[in-house]
Amino acid sequence: MKKIIDFLKSETLVFLTLVFVLVAQIIHTMYIFEHIRAADMSFQIGEWRITAFNWTHALIFAVAIESAILMFILNGKRLPSKIYAVASFATNILYYGTWKLPIPELLATVIASSMLAGSIWFFSDLFAEKIELLPYGQSQEELKKFLAAQEMEERNKMTFKKAL
């Protein structure tokens, strides 16, 4: 039983869960991006309209956008991750066409939208804590200063030992 609980608390499961919610969100972002596309990269072959380049472009866009929350959190950038989480929520509202729905469905889509965007944000946050990549809430600059100070302290100790 302990092994199961350890796995359920592991960074591996947190990361896998994060990937699952990102995949769900990526589909929503792809759909929105495809509907607002300005440049059409599709082409005609006979009677077939080939849209693979459009969807590939949408996938690359969506993966980059939805991975941003994780990247910001892993690098100690809390404000951008919050902004992106709000944008993910807005994407979901647009994806579901919430404004066209009766009240019960409207409430359901708002709840689902907030749960998905919140899951991405919170699982990214939890993953960053699990792997302890950066002291949470610190920027890379603060971490560089800390590491430089640690290195200087080590050099001073070595110099002092050599002097003795």
Side-chain angles (χ1 to χ4, degrees):
M1 186 64 156
K2 180 169 174 14
K3 285 184 181 183
I4 293 171
I5 291 171
D6 287 344
F7 177 71
L8 291 173
K9 293 169 67 176
S10 72
E11 64 268 3
T12 301
L13 187 61
V14 170
F15 183 74
L16 288 173
T17 306
L18 173 60
V19 168
F20 290 142
V21 295
L22 280 171
V23 167
Q25 184 64 36
I26 285 167
I27 301 301
H28 296 179
T29 305
M30 281 178 65
Y31 177 83
I32 296 301
F33 184 71
E34 185 56 28
H35 279 78
I36 62 170
R37 172 180 304 288
D40 185 8
M41 296 179 284
S42 64
F43 55 92
Q44 195 81 28
I45 295 182
E47 298 198 13
W48 291 18
R49 186 89 184 141
I50 310 299
T51 61
F53 290 124
N54 284 347
W55 286 104
T56 301
H57 185 232
L59 175 64
I60 291 167
F61 172 82
V63 167
I65 293 298
E66 297 309 329
S67 299
I69 295 172
L70 174 61
M71 295 305 112
F72 288 136
I73 286 176
L74 289 177
N75 287 287
K77 306 294 184 188
R78 296 182 80 172
L79 181 60
S81 68
K82 290 176 184 178
I83 292 168
Y84 269 67
V86 170
S88 289
F89 172 73
T91 298
N92 294 338
I93 295 296
L94 291 171
Y95 175 79
Y96 289 118
T98 305
W99 61 94
K100 298 184 270 183
L101 301 173
I103 298 295
E105 285 85 359
L106 182 141
L107 292 174
T109 61
V110 168
I111 290 168
S113 296
S114 62
M115 289 172 64
L116 185 55
S119 292
I120 293 168
W121 180 10
F122 298 135
F123 277 116
S124 295
D125 198 26
L126 182 58
F127 182 65
E129 287 177 18
K130 289 281 187 190
I131 62 171
E132 298 176 6
L133 186 62
L134 284 174
Y136 192 71
Q138 291 187 4
S139 70
Q140 282 186 334
E141 288 304 313
E142 291 170 319
L143 183 61
K144 285 177 186 174
K145 287 177 188 174
F146 173 77
L147 293 175
Q150 292 283 7
E151 189 176 316
M152 184 62 83
E153 187 176 313
E154 287 298 317
R155 281 189 206 157
N156 289 341
K157 285 181 185 177
M158 298 282 264
T159 304
F160 181 72
K161 286 180 182 178
K162 286 181 183 177
L164 292 177

